[in-house]
Amino acid sequence: MKEAATLSKEKQIKKDDRKLFRKALRKNWDCYVYIAPYGIIFLTFTVLPVLISIFFSFTYFNVLEPPQWIGLRNYQNLLVNDDVFLLAVKNTMTIAIITGPVGYLATLMFAWFINELKPVLRAIMVTIMYAPSISGGAYMIWTILFSGDSHGYINGFLLNLGVIHEPIQFLTDTSWMIWIVIIVMIWMSLGAGFLSMVAGFRTVDKSQYEAGYVEGIRNRWQEFWFITLPSMRPQMMFAAVMSITAAFSVGDQTTALVGFPSTDYAAHTIVNHLQDYGGQRFDMGYACAIATILFVVMVGLNELIQKLLSKVGR
Amino acid sequence: MEKAQRVIDERKIRTSKKVFNPGPARSTAGNVVNFVFLCIVGAFMVLPLVYTVCNAFKPLDELFLFPPTFFVRNPTLDNFQNISVLMGQSWVPFSRYIFNTLFVTIVATVLHIIAASLAAYVLEKRKFPGAKVMFKVVVLSLMFSAAVTGIPNYIIMSKLGMIDTYFALIVPYIASSIGLYLMKQFVSSSIPDALLEAARIDGASELKIFASIVMPLVKPAWLTLLLFSVQSLWGTTGNTFIFTESLKPLNYALNQIMAGGIARAGAGAAVGLLMLLPPLAVFVFSQTRILDTMASSGIKD
C-alpha cells in the first residue's frame, strides 16, 4: 500500500517535471531560434563528425564501397600489427611530454615576467612573444634556418665558428629531426593560453596585494605563489587545455619541417599517420580508429589535468 | 629626528600610492634581471620573423651569400615585383586569389561573430533546457583538434554539396568553438543582469536588447574573434576542399611560388611577409581590447 503510494507520488513528480520542462521549452522557445545558426553548424561539423568517426572506426570503409562492420579489428591491427603506428605514438608522446609542460610553464612564466614591465614595454613584449603563433604558417621559416645546404643559417653560423666542419642535415638526420620539431613547437607554444594568462595577471585584485604586504609578503616570488597563482586558476585551466591540445595535434609542423613521410618515420606523429591512411590510402575505417584513439587520449588527458588544476591553491 | 621620521612617512605614502610597483616586493636588481631575460627570450621568438621581413627586401645576390647574412644591406622591392610578374603569367589573375581569401575571411568572420554572439548571449543570460549541456560540449570540443574530425567532415560536406565552393571554407568556421567560448565568458563578465532586467521592464524586445545593448558592449570580444578568425582563415590553403583554380585562396597560390625552390627564393621570401602581415596588424592594433576579452577567458569550475 505504502509502496504504491510512493510510486504514484514519483509518477506525479515525473509528470510535473515533464510539465515544467515543456513549460520551460515553451517559455524560452526564442532561445532556440537565437542559438540555431551556431548550434546547427556546430552539431553538423563538430559533434556529428566525432560520432561518425567513432562509428567508422568499427568498419572497413574505402569510400567507394559502403562501410562493412568488422568490430574491433581496426584497433587490433593498430595496437598489435602496425609498427609505424606504435612509432608514431612514441614520437607524439615524446613531443607532447616535452613541449606540453615546457610550453605551459613558459606560458605562465613569461606572462608573469611581462606583467612586471611598464605598460608600453609590456605591449611590445606581448606582441613579440605572441608573434610566432600569429601566422599559422610562420614555422616554415625554420626549414630555411635549419636547412642542410649552404642556405642553412644555423649550419652557416656553426661552420663559421668552427664548431662543426661539415653541415649537419638537421631535417633528414634521424637523430636530429624530432628535436628540431620540439624546438619549433616550443617556439610556437605561446598561443591563446598565453594571452589568457597575460590578461589574467592584470585582473588580480590590487587590494589583495596590499593586504599581502601588510601581512609580510617580502618579494615577488612570495607574492606570485601566495596571491597571484590562486586567483589565476581559471586562466591556468584554459591555458592547459590549449597546451595539451596543441601538443597532441602536432602533424602539419612535422610535414612542413621534415617532410611526409619523414626519414625512417623518425618524426612521424599520430596525426601524420591519420593523414596517411585518411588522405592517401583511403582506408577510412582505419584512419577513423586512429582519430578515435587520438580523441580519447586528448579529452581524457584534458579532463585529468583539469581535475588536478582545480585543486591548485585549495 | 622628527624631520627624518616625516621623510620616511612621506616616502611610505608615496610608495603606497604606486599601483604597478608597490614597495616591499620589488627590487631594482630583480627588475633588471627580468628585463634582460625577457630580451634574450624575445630575441629567440622574434628572430625568425625579423629574418622574414629582411629576406623579403633582399636582392637576389644577397639571398645567396655564403656565409648567409641576417640583416638586409641594400633593401629593394624586386621580390614583390617578381611576385606580380609571376602572377601576371598565371592564367587565373592574381587579384582573383586575393579576392577569394578576402571574401572567405570577411564573410566567415562576420557570420561567425553574429552567430557566436547570439548563441553566447542566450547561453549565458537565459535559462532554458539544454543550455548547460550545449556549453559543456563546446568546452569539450576545445579539447581535441580538427584532425580528429577531418574525414567525416569531408564526407558531410560532399553530401551537402559544399565541396569545391566557398561554403566549404566559410560554413564550418561560423561555428568555431573557441569563438563561442570566449564570447560567452566575456558576456558573463561584462554585462550585468540588472541592465538587461531594466531594459526588459522598459519593454524592449529580446532582439532589441541583443542588438542595442549586448552587441555594443561586447565589441572588445568582436576584435578577439576577428583575430582568431584572421589567424586561421588568412593562411588557409583550402587544398582538401577546393579544386577549381579560380576559387583557390591566396595562400595556395603563394605556396605554389614557394614550391619553385631556389629559383623562386626571392619571391618566396616576399610571400612569407605577405602571409604574416594581416594577422600581425590585427593583433597590434587591437591588443588592448583582445587582452580585455582574454581576461575573462578562464575555465570556471
Side-chain angles (χ1 to χ4, degrees):
Chain A
M1 200 52 205
K2 219 178 172 184
E3 264 177 30
T6 50
L7 218 77
S8 73
K9 216 180 201 174
E10 265 175 22
K11 240 182 206 167
Q12 190 59 40
I13 290 171
K14 246 187 195 167
K15 219 179 189 180
D16 284 353
D17 273 1
R18 226 175 293 155
K19 225 187 230 167
L20 272 177
F21 182 73
R22 238 176 279 147
K23 207 176 154 195
L25 275 186
R26 219 171 306 134
K27 199 183 139 211
N28 294 306
W29 65 271
D30 57 325
C31 289
Y32 298 98
V33 178
Y34 287 124
I35 216 168
Y38 186 94
I40 291 170
I41 297 172
F42 181 73
L43 289 178
T44 320
F45 292 102
T46 305
V47 179
L48 193 61
V50 171
L51 301 177
I52 292 179
S53 185
I54 293 172
F55 169 75
F56 278 158
S57 73
F58 296 107
T59 64
Y60 172 77
F61 181 40
N62 60 8
V63 192
L64 296 174
E65 298 162 300
Q68 274 175 310
W69 188 266
I70 54 168
L72 288 172
R73 207 178 307 153
N74 283 329
Y75 291 98
Q76 275 170 10
N77 284 340
L78 264 178
L79 298 175
V80 181
N81 292 336
D82 192 343
D83 291 343
V84 179
F85 177 67
L86 296 181
L87 190 60
V89 170
K90 191 189 129 223
N91 289 337
T92 310
M93 284 300 178
T94 312
I95 295 172
I97 284 170
I98 296 173
T99 63
V102 171
Y104 186 63
L105 281 182
T107 302
L108 182 60
M109 300 271 289
F110 292 132
W112 176 32
F113 292 164
I114 284 173
N115 190 53
E116 301 279 306
L117 299 173
K118 301 246 155 50
V120 177
L121 262 181
R122 186 166 61 198
I124 296 171
M125 267 301 171
V126 169
T127 310
I128 288 177
M129 296 285 181
Y130 186 60
S133 328
I134 279 185
S135 165
Y139 51 81
M140 292 289 287
I141 299 156
W142 290 95
T143 55
I144 302 166
L145 295 182
F146 277 116
S147 165
D149 57 27
S150 59
H151 306 298
Y153 278 63
I154 289 164
N155 269 323
F157 184 68
L158 292 178
L159 282 172
N160 247 15
L161 281 184
V163 179
I164 52 174
H165 298 292
E166 55 184 58
I168 302 173
Q169 301 297 322
F170 287 110
L171 303 174
T172 44
D173 184 334
T174 48
S175 53
W176 279 99
M177 283 151 59
I178 199 162
W179 296 105
I180 304 301
V181 173
I182 286 171
I183 289 173
V184 174
M185 289 291 289
I186 289 175
W187 178 72
M188 290 175 66
S189 61
L190 302 182
F194 170 69
L195 294 183
S196 173
M197 291 241 202
V198 170
F201 271 103
R202 301 199 313 186
T203 58
V204 179
D205 192 358
K206 294 278 183 299
S207 63
Q208 277 193 24
Y209 289 126
E210 271 149 36
Y213 301 141
V214 173
E215 280 170 29
I217 294 268
R218 278 278 148 261
N219 53 45
R220 40 189 134 199
W221 299 98
Q222 290 178 351
E223 181 186 301
F224 176 69
W225 191 253
F226 292 113
I227 304 174
T228 315
L229 213 51
S231 51
M232 289 269 297
R233 195 186 311 128
Q235 281 86 5
M236 286 172 63
M237 288 167 79
F238 176 72
V241 169
M242 294 289 124
S243 293
I244 296 168
T245 311
F248 276 91
S249 44
V250 51
D252 290 344
Q253 294 88 341
T254 57
T255 304
L257 289 168
V258 296
F260 173 81
S262 45
T263 314
D264 286 347
Y265 290 113
H268 199 65
T269 64
I270 299 180
V271 171
N272 288 144
H273 207 55
L274 170 64
Q275 288 163 342
D276 191 5
Y277 279 89
Q280 326 230 331
R281 302 180 202 223
F282 294 107
D283 191 344
M284 297 303 182
Y286 199 68
C288 284
I290 301 171
T292 306
I293 290 177
L294 190 63
F295 172 77
V296 171
V297 169
M298 275 179 162
V299 172
L301 199 63
N302 263 309
E303 294 285 354
L304 181 76
I305 299 284
Q306 295 292 302
K307 286 239 166 64
L308 289 179
L309 279 179
S310 69
K311 293 199 176 90
V312 169
R314 270 190 184 157
Chain B
M1 200 53 197
E2 253 183 53
K3 204 178 169 190
Q5 194 59 48
R6 209 185 310 138
V7 171
I8 291 170
D9 284 348
E10 268 174 17
R11 190 177 287 167
K12 263 185 192 159
I13 292 166
R14 222 182 302 143
T15 45
S16 71
K17 267 183 192 161
K18 275 189 190 170
V19 182
F20 280 119
N21 221 351
R26 297 290 178 280
S27 64
T28 319
N31 280 338
V32 171
V33 170
N34 178 34
F35 183 69
V36 171
F37 178 69
L38 277 179
C39 285
I40 295 169
V41 178
F44 170 67
M45 303 302 270
V46 85
L47 267 189
L49 304 175
V50 172
Y51 165 84
T52 313
V53 176
C54 285
N55 260 23
F57 296 102
K58 274 182 194 170
L60 270 186
D61 55 335
E62 246 180 80
L63 277 174
F64 293 117
L65 271 185
F66 186 87
T69 55
F70 204 86
F71 294 105
V72 50
R73 280 179 219 152
N74 308 306
T76 94
L77 288 175
D78 283 356
N79 295 330
F80 293 93
Q81 278 166 6
N82 262 344
I83 298 188
S84 55
V85 171
L86 280 170
M87 281 300 179
Q89 296 161 354
S90 73
W91 53 272
V92 171
F94 190 47
S95 54
R96 180 68 200 231
Y97 292 115
I98 296 178
F99 169 79
N100 289 339
T101 292
L102 275 177
F103 181 79
V104 167
T105 308
I106 291 172
V107 173
T109 304
V110 170
L111 293 180
H112 171 55
I113 289 175
I114 294 172
S117 321
L118 273 171
Y121 166 61
V122 289
L123 278 181
E124 177 60 36
K125 293 297 178 193
R126 298 279 299 271
K127 287 191 178 68
F128 60 97
K132 282 205 174 123
V133 178
M134 167 94 184
F135 188 61
K136 273 211 177 110
V137 176
V138 170
V139 173
L140 195 71
S141 75
L142 290 176
M143 297 181 178
F144 57 85
S145 66
V148 169
T149 53
I151 295 166
N153 250 341
Y154 187 88
I155 296 170
I156 291 170
M157 277 188 203
S158 70
K159 290 268 188 274
L160 294 174
M162 282 163 43
I163 297 296
D164 207 18
T165 65
Y166 288 130
F167 292 114
L169 299 178
I170 293 173
V171 176
Y173 195 81
I174 294 174
S176 150
S177 42
I178 190 159
L180 173 63
Y181 175 78
L182 292 176
M183 191 57 104
K184 189 199 166 245
Q185 301 298 69
F186 190 68
V187 168
S188 143
S189 73
S190 68
I191 300 180
D193 287 335
L195 185 65
L196 302 177
E197 222 34 68
R200 275 190 203 120
I201 290 167
D202 286 346
S205 68
E206 279 296 302
L207 200 63
K208 180 122 195 270
I209 292 177
F210 174 76
S212 61
I213 297 177
V214 177
M215 274 309 240
L217 281 178
V218 297
K219 258 184 205 158
W222 296 3
L223 289 171
T224 311
L225 268 57
L226 172 77
L227 172 74
F228 286 118
S229 73
V230 170
Q231 269 180 7
S232 57
L233 293 169
W234 185 258
T236 187
T237 55
N239 51 10
T240 33
F241 304 119
I242 307 280
F243 308 112
T244 306
E245 193 61 36
S246 59
L247 294 181
K248 281 178 178 165
L250 181 62
N251 196 18
Y252 176 85
L254 297 179
N255 277 344
Q256 293 297 82
I257 300 180
M258 296 265 246
I262 291 177
R264 299 279 177 262
V271 163
L273 187 62
L274 277 183
M275 291 322 296
L276 182 69
L277 277 184
L280 192 65
V282 172
F283 185 71
V284 168
F285 287 119
S286 45
Q287 198 196 108
T288 326
R289 300 297 190 81
I290 289 168
L291 287 181
D292 281 350
T293 319
M294 296 307 285
S296 63
S297 67
I299 296 177
K300 284 155 200 133
D301 33 337

